[in-house]
């Protein structure tokens, strides 16, 4: 809800408040963002007293407004009339350079006379139930849940240029978004050197910024820095993508915030290009968080009558620690970012041929993989890279979206039909934004590749980027892909993007506009994505960028899920998926079971672990199932059956990080839950562990059971001789015969307990193997082992 009294505004979600007022000068003072400052009773009173006529908001503003009565030493006073107002000490909704606020600005402009001072002052405000959609960029929306919007328009005190600040309030998921639109009503072109999306002035120091960093196949490592002076930055400077080096999602919290308690703010951007966020203090008592398009390398010439839109910024506040914030962010992403046919639908279990075959496949080998997958109950077959043009390795073919009939003699149509006959849906990989020098497309249109005339071009994965800022390139891609998508019964598309930017340039842009290129690329890309997803609404799209190099809310506005990492090793994936979980829900993260030794790390972990970790994502397999032993094929079929049974809980439940290596999902109605425990490093001696849950309904009774994992005696190696009457040679004939005929069922943990017990005390688990004995109920829990536990409510 949005309350207004004159020029005082309160944006209210279920558990948070955002409070601001217009100062007599026209600047907007930010008075509070955080825990709710109005109770239900006060709100009732407010309404009884005539709403906007009530004095409540003015009384609250008197409490929270800065009592600024003295000119600050060595500070700039804004104006004679407003003496002693120094903008430097004011918490503000937006700042520009030049009038005394010397902190990190949200806006930087250069006017035609070369001056770069701007001074935006309040002009008008409007509250409505209708949410504004941005014209050039994707943004949040609502359909079922009520949301409201406040638009505050500011005008520069000297120039005819306006800044519209749009605030959307999503009460149910405690989320508020902001976007900014600059409108040039003047006669001269204004250079926009930066237009960030968000500025939050916190009224104390000592906050910490948590951001997520990494590299290819090693995304989302969590880093936290306290800011007590100076500046902490999270940015993707020049990759040209939201990036595996620095994801745009960040958190601001206090050093004593924990997973379950304390103040935590989550921030993100609905944007896929270079981004910038910072938390700074300037030596006063204030801290400032800003975020938006990366200003380095950016400039936009805003002509008379033109508008420039900054991407939407998302923020959520929770007083219940990192976990509470994450669950709010997940709800927001699932309901107000992801959209369309697949938003609320369970995602299919897929088999992808990439790690099974790489480029080396033909129709028969694909059909063999599909057949095994169909037998196991898998629902979708995905044909990855290599099906088109002269694409036999990664040196050629990108851009030529025509099926290679040498490999696939029946074309995509014939292959899809055969796959469909097996009971599987058919999906396909594309990488539309790219071109190889060795391709028909490049030979026909060398001017479409991003490169600088007269300068040698630096490539990545031997490919070049198509200039998506050009309408002819966008139209070509829309047309070429529409033909592919209509050429067969295609249910799923994996949209890849495998290199970062270099040599940024567009032949269509004049020199003075070249710094617009990177942002124009995304405006063009979003147009293509919007057109294709609207044209093929039932196709399930999965984003990908060499794994998680473009995992962001911009992509999720079009594609409901994104391949989280090219690292399919379950041990690494625990860390990577935990990193994503801070800002992104489980059902946005693609996760697959792959072969061992793992292709990225050479780790070997059990099939059960690979399954358990991948189940906390959009689940699939990426290996040649036909090459598994019969017992493993049975295990796969069992996993598929299990996942289907609990899929809704995995994909749409509330997610909890129980600790670093334990996850849990709880159905929204609390009727069921699944927990994962993972052994990062086993140690001897018995650890009598408890599984302490979160999120179960305290008053309900649950039946708990683990997924039993059969143990092969060979896993004990030569220890078999401590029990065998004769000496058994490790891996010898007798050892193999025993292993074939004697199966150990694995420990069973079963219980009936109240949610209160399970959340409060936890379930005491059977002991893990610790070097001093082994019984039926001992859990083999070696480094890299994992267990899943299911909770089914029996009474409410
Ligand atoms: C990178 C992706 O992340 C992989 O999954 C695979 O699709 C390859 N590209 C194919 O080139």
């Amino acid at each position: 809800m949005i309350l207004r009294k004159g020029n005082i505004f309160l944006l209210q979600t279920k558990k948070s408040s955002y409070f601001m007022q217009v100062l007599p000068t026209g600047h907007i003072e930010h008075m509070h963002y955080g825990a709710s400052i109005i109770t239900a009773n006060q709100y009732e009173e407010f309404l009884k007293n005539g709403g906007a006529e009530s004095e409540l908001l003015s009384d609250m503003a008197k409490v929270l407004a800065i009592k600024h009565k003295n000119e600050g030493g060595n500070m700039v006073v804004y104006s004679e009339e407003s003496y002693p107002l120094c903008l430097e000490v004011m918490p503000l909704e937006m700042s520009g350079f030049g009038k005394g606020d010397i902190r990190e600005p949200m806006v930087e402009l250069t006017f035609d006379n070369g001056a770069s001072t701007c001074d935006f002052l309040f002009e008008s405000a409007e509250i409505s139930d209708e949410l504004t959609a941005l014209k050039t960029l994707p943004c949040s929306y609502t359909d079922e849940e009520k949301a409201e919007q406040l638009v505050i328009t500011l005008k520069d005190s000297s120039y005819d240029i306006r800044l519209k600040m749009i605030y959307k309030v999503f009460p149910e998921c405690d989320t508020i978004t902001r976007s900014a639109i600059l409108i040039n009503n003047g006669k001269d072109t204004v250079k926009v050197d930066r237009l960030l999306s968000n500025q939050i002035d916190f009224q104390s120091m000592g906050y910490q910024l948590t951001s997520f960093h990494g590299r290819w196949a090693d995304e989302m490592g969590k880093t936290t820095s306290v800011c007590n002076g100076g500046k902490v930055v999270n940015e993707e400077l020049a990759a040209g993508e939201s990036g595996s080096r620095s994801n745009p999602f960040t958190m601001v919290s206090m050093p004593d915030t924990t997973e379950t308690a304390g103040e935590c703010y989550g921030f993100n951007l609905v944007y896929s290009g270079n981004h910038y966020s910072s938390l700074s203090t300037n030596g006063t008592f204030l801290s400032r968080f800003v975020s938006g398009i990366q200003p380095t390398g950016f400039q936009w010439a805003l002509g008379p009558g033109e508008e420039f839109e900054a991407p939407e910024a998302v923020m959520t506040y929770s007083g219940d620690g990192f976990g509470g914030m994450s669950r709010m962010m997940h709800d927001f992403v699932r309901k107000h970012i992801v959209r369309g046919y697949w938003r609320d639908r369970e995602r299919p279990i897929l088999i992808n041929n990439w790690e099974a075959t790489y480029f080396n496949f033909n129709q028969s080998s694909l059909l063999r993989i599909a057949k095994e997958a169909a037998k196991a109950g898998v629902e979708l077959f995905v044909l990855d890279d290599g099906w088109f043009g002269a694409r036999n390795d990664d040196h050629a073919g990108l851009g030529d979206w025509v099926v290679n009939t040498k490999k696939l003699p029946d074309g995509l149509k014939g292959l899809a039909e055969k796959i469909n006959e097996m009971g599987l849906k058919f999906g396909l990989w594309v990488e539309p934004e790219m071109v190889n020098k060795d391709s028909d497309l490049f030979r026909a249109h060398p001017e479409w590749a991003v490169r600088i005339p007269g300068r040698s071009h630096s490539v990545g994965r031997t490919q070049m980027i198509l200039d998506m800022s050009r309408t002819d390139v966008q139209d070509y891609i829309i047309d070429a892909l529409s033909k592919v998508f209509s050429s067969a019964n295609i249910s799923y598309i994996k949209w890849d993007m495998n290199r970062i930017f270099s040599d940024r340039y567009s032949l269509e842009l004049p020199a003075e506009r070249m710094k617009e290129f990177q942002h124009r690329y995304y405006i063009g890309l979003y147009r293509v994505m919007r057109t294709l997803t609207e044209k093929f609404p039932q196709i399930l799209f999965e984003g990908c960028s060499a794994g998680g190099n473009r995992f962001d809310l911009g992509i999720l506005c079009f594609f409901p899920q994104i391949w989280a990492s090219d690292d399919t090793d379950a041990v690494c994936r625990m860390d990577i998926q935990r990193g994503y979980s801070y800002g992104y829900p489980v059902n946005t993260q693609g996760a697959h079971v792959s072969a061992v030794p793992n292709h990225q790390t050479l780790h070997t972990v059990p099939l059960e672990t690979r399954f358990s970790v991948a189940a906390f994502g959009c689940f699939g397999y990426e290996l040649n199932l036909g090459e598994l032993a019969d017992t493993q094929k049975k295990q796969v079929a069992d996993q598929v059956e299990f996942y289907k049974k609990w899929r809704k809980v995995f994909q749409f439940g509330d997610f909890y990080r129980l600790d670093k290596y334990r996850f849990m999902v709880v159905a929204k109605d609390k009727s069921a839950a699944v927990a994962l425990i993972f052994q990062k490093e086993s140690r001897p001696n018995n650890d009598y562990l408890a599984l302490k849950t979160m999120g179960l309904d305290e008053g309900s009774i649950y039946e708990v059971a683990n997924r039993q994992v059969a143990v092969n005696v060979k896993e004990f190696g030569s220890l078999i001789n401590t029990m065998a009457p004769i000496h058994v040679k490790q891996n010898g004939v007798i050892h193999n015969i025993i292993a074939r005929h004697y199966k150990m069922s694995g420990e069973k943990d079963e219980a009936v307990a109240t949610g209160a017990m399970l959340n409060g005390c936890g379930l005491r688990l059977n002991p893990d193997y610790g070097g001093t004995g082994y019984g039926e109920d001992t859990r083999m829990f070696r480094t890299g082992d994992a267990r899943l536990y299911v909770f089914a409510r029996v009474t409410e």
Side-chain angles (χ1 to χ4, degrees):
M1 105 195 142
I2 300 176
L3 308 183
R4 176 177 186 175
K5 158 85 180 173
N7 285 337
I8 304 171
F9 303 92
L10 176 64
L11 316 184
Q12 186 64 30
T13 71
K14 259 183 165 171
K15 287 187 178 168
S16 72
S17 303
Y18 192 111
F19 198 36
M20 56 192 156
Q21 70 171 347
V22 181
L23 293 170
T25 52
H27 298 100
I28 305 199
E29 178 180 5
H30 174 84
M31 293 187 287
H32 171 78
Y33 176 41
S36 186
I37 53 173
I38 185 170
T39 63
N41 286 347
Q42 285 170 322
Y43 177 57
E44 289 300 313
E45 276 297 298
F46 174 82
L47 291 183
K48 240 192 270 157
N49 295 330
E53 306 309 315
S54 154
E55 286 308 315
L56 179 70
L57 293 194
S58 336
D59 290 342
M60 285 162 72
K62 278 184 201 141
V63 176
L64 291 176
I66 293 283
K67 312 283 188 297
H68 178 22
K69 303 235 160 95
N70 304 311
E71 176 182 346
N74 191 30
M75 285 183 193
V76 168
V77 173
Y78 173 65
S79 67
E80 257 177 62
E81 303 77 51
S82 64
Y83 184 85
L85 177 69
C86 302
L87 293 177
E88 188 180 345
V89 295
M90 293 304 295
L92 296 169
E93 278 301 300
M94 65 81 42
S95 294
F97 267 144
K99 300 303 287 179
D101 185 356
I102 54 168
R103 294 165 292 176
E104 172 115 55
M106 184 171 144
V107 185
E108 268 184 275
L109 305 175
T110 307
F111 294 99
D112 61 316
N113 62 356
S116 57
T117 291
C118 62
D119 186 25
F120 283 98
L121 304 177
F122 181 81
E123 189 177 66
S124 63
E126 203 186 321
I127 296 170
S128 95
D129 284 341
E130 298 272 303
L131 302 187
T132 304
L134 297 177
K135 291 179 195 140
T136 56
L137 300 171
C139 61
S140 63
Y141 72 102
T142 195
D143 49 10
E144 293 147 23
E145 282 171 15
K146 188 173 159 29
E148 271 179 287
Q149 171 178 290
L150 166 68
V151 180
I152 295 186
T153 304
L154 309 172
K155 185 184 164 299
D156 184 82
S157 51
S158 307
Y159 289 84
D160 207 0
I161 186 159
R162 284 178 174 72
L163 181 68
K164 270 192 182 183
M165 302 199 298
I166 304 174
Y167 299 80
K168 296 183 193 169
V169 182
F170 299 88
E172 293 305 311
C173 43
D174 285 322
T175 300
I176 294 173
T177 73
R178 278 184 74 171
S179 34
I181 306 176
L182 208 53
I183 306 153
N184 184 359
N185 303 115
K187 291 194 181 65
D188 301 305
T189 294
V190 176
K191 285 192 190 122
V192 184
D193 300 310
R194 75 157 71 187
L195 177 61
L196 299 184
S197 308
N198 201 1
Q199 171 178 319
I200 300 289
D201 281 354
F202 295 101
Q203 304 204 4
S204 84
M205 310 235 290
Y207 282 95
Q208 55 185 21
L209 183 80
T210 302
S211 47
F212 297 83
H213 304 276
R215 51 194 170 158
W216 172 76
D218 189 14
E219 296 87 347
M220 297 305 282
K222 183 167 156 258
T223 308
T224 297
S225 312
V226 178
C227 185
N228 264 324
K231 178 156 85 172
V232 183
V233 171
N234 176 52
E235 65 180 346
E236 198 62 69
L237 189 71
E241 286 142 86
S242 48
S244 51
R245 280 79 168 171
S246 299
N247 192 275
F249 172 73
T250 53
M251 303 188 289
V252 171
S253 59
M254 282 313 243
D256 61 358
T257 300
T258 66
E259 185 63 25
T260 51
E263 284 198 307
C264 181
Y265 299 83
F267 292 105
N268 211 339
L269 278 178
V270 188
Y271 193 54
S272 311
N274 294 327
H275 55 87
Y276 175 85
S277 318
S278 76
L279 178 67
S280 53
T281 63
N282 69 344
T284 66
F285 55 96
L286 299 170
S287 306
R288 172 169 292 179
F289 175 83
V290 294
S291 74
I293 295 180
Q294 169 64 253
T296 303
F298 167 87
Q299 193 182 55
W300 193 278
L302 194 65
E306 289 178 354
E307 293 186 4
F308 179 81
E309 293 176 332
E312 186 177 28
V314 174
M315 49 192 161
T316 187
Y317 166 82
S318 172
D320 299 326
F322 300 113
M325 182 283 304
S326 291
R327 284 183 289 283
M328 288 302 108
M329 201 51 120
H330 294 174
D331 284 350
F332 173 76
V333 173
R334 278 196 291 234
K335 282 284 176 213
H336 304 293
I337 290 291
V338 173
R339 61 202 72 199
Y341 182 82
W342 283 101
R343 185 185 74 174
D344 301 325
R345 285 192 160 75
E346 293 181 26
R347 313 286 163 73
I349 302 175
L350 63 82
I351 175 92
N352 178 304
N353 75 308
W354 179 242
E355 288 197 14
T357 65
Y358 296 103
F359 292 104
N360 187 14
F361 61 81
N362 57 33
Q363 180 167 299
S364 321
S365 60
L366 295 178
L367 289 175
R368 276 198 300 277
I369 295 173
K371 198 168 161 200
E372 280 302 333
K375 269 200 255 165
V378 169
E379 298 157 320
L380 165 70
F381 175 88
V382 178
L383 171 53
D384 211 281
D385 196 354
W387 58 268
F388 51 91
R391 185 80 170 161
N392 297 315
D393 56 34
D394 58 12
H395 287 73
L398 285 175
D400 300 340
W401 300 111
V402 178
V403 67
N404 179 334
T405 45
K406 276 196 204 125
K407 288 184 187 175
L408 304 174
D410 296 327
L412 290 177
K413 189 164 191 296
L415 177 65
E417 277 167 9
K418 291 189 174 61
I419 301 262
N420 290 163
E421 275 160 24
M422 293 176 188
L424 291 167
K425 297 208 179 299
F426 178 69
L428 199 63
W429 176 98
V430 290
E431 191 175 359
E433 299 155 66
M434 296 291 153
V435 65
N436 282 119
K437 219 168 185 179
D438 185 2
S439 69
D440 292 340
L441 182 66
F442 185 78
R443 283 181 280 274
H445 286 290
E447 76 284 8
W448 284 2
V450 174
R451 56 200 182 126
I452 305 168
R455 185 185 277 279
S456 71
H457 180 78
S458 304
V459 291
R461 211 192 184 199
T462 68
Q463 60 201 49
M464 299 166 98
I465 302 178
L466 287 173
D467 181 354
M468 299 294 288
S469 72
R470 295 174 64 127
T471 319
D472 50 1
V473 173
Q474 297 162 23
D475 289 342
Y476 164 77
I477 293 175
I478 291 170
D479 183 55
L481 292 191
S482 295
K483 283 187 186 129
V484 174
F485 298 172
S486 330
S487 70
N489 188 15
I490 292 174
S491 307
Y492 162 104
I493 287 293
K494 178 176 173 186
W495 183 300
D496 208 344
M497 199 294 190
N498 279 302
R499 64 157 290 185
I500 58 170
F501 284 75
S502 67
D503 305 287
R504 292 191 295 192
Y505 197 85
S506 171
L507 286 172
E508 283 220 325
L509 287 175
E512 66 278 11
R513 284 187 174 269
M514 207 50 78
K515 285 187 173 172
E516 297 176 10
F517 167 73
Q518 196 71 72
H519 185 61
R520 285 186 182 275
Y521 181 95
Y522 280 99
I523 294 177
L525 176 66
Y526 291 142
R527 177 186 162 234
V528 172
M529 289 164 96
R530 181 175 293 112
T531 309
L532 286 169
T533 48
E534 280 173 10
K535 205 163 167 190
F536 299 93
Q538 293 196 3
I539 289 184
L540 171 60
F541 285 85
E542 177 156 344
C544 175
S545 182
N549 195 41
R550 207 165 57 183
F551 201 113
D552 61 67
L553 300 184
I555 298 295
L556 288 171
C557 282
F558 301 103
F559 304 163
Q561 57 193 60
I562 302 175
W563 178 230
S565 176
D566 271 357
D567 186 351
T568 56
D569 175 358
V571 182
C572 306
R573 272 299 187 120
M574 275 304 288
D575 290 326
I576 295 170
Q577 290 172 212
R578 184 182 54 252
Y580 281 117
S581 78
Y582 283 91
Y584 302 93
V586 163
N587 73 346
T588 58
Q589 306 170 35
H592 299 168
V593 171
S594 62
V596 286
N598 177 269
H599 290 196
Q600 293 78 42
T601 61
L602 301 181
H603 281 161
T604 295
V605 295
L607 188 52
E608 180 67 11
T609 302
R610 286 175 271 154
F611 165 66
S612 306
V613 177
F616 279 81
C618 289
F619 177 63
Y621 291 87
E622 188 164 334
L623 74 171
N624 192 339
L625 292 175
E627 287 174 2
L628 296 182
D630 286 348
T631 46
Q632 293 201 311
K633 285 184 189 169
K634 275 199 204 121
Q635 250 180 292
V636 168
D638 172 70
Q639 293 172 349
V640 168
E641 195 186 331
F642 176 88
Y643 186 76
K644 284 179 183 167
K645 183 164 175 205
W646 300 97
R647 168 161 48 191
K648 201 163 171 212
V649 184
F650 278 118
Q651 296 188 357
F652 298 98
D654 285 329
F655 179 86
Y656 293 83
R657 289 174 294 269
L658 302 181
D659 75 16
K660 211 166 171 200
Y661 294 107
R662 293 176 175 205
F663 299 158
M664 181 159 177
V665 275
V666 181
K668 284 273 174 205
D669 65 2
K670 310 261 182 209
S671 61
V674 187
L676 158 70
I677 67 171
F678 175 77
Q679 179 67 286
K680 178 72 175 169
E681 195 183 359
S682 60
R683 293 284 163 125
N685 223 325
N686 294 120
D687 289 333
Y688 294 102
L689 301 176
L691 171 55
K692 201 166 171 215
T693 57
M694 288 186 197
L696 294 177
D697 178 37
E698 309 246 310
S700 294
I701 296 175
Y702 293 88
E703 251 173 22
V704 191
N706 64 324
R707 253 176 77 75
Q708 262 189 294
V709 181
V711 179
N712 181 336
V713 281
K714 284 183 73 180
E715 320 255 13
F716 288 94
S718 63
L719 274 176
I720 193 163
N721 287 306
T722 59
M723 286 157 64
I726 52 160
H727 183 76
V728 179
K729 184 167 172 252
Q730 194 175 348
N731 288 326
V733 182
I734 302 177
H735 205 187
N736 287 333
I737 292 174
I738 300 175
R740 204 168 314 129
H741 295 289
Y742 178 62
K743 286 275 168 283
M744 297 151 86
S745 57
E747 94 285 1
K748 213 176 198 171
D749 275 299
E750 283 179 325
V752 175
T754 61
M757 282 173 78
L758 294 164
N759 289 345
C761 317
L763 166 68
R764 285 276 157 212
L765 299 177
N766 278 309
D768 47 348
Y769 178 77
T772 57
Y774 184 85
E776 274 287 277
D777 281 328
T778 308
R779 184 174 54 260
M780 276 285 269
F781 215 42
R782 299 153 302 181
T783 297
D785 270 322
R787 281 293 179 284
L788 290 178
Y789 298 81
V790 294
F791 302 76
R793 183 161 63 191
V794 283
T795 61
E796 292 190 27

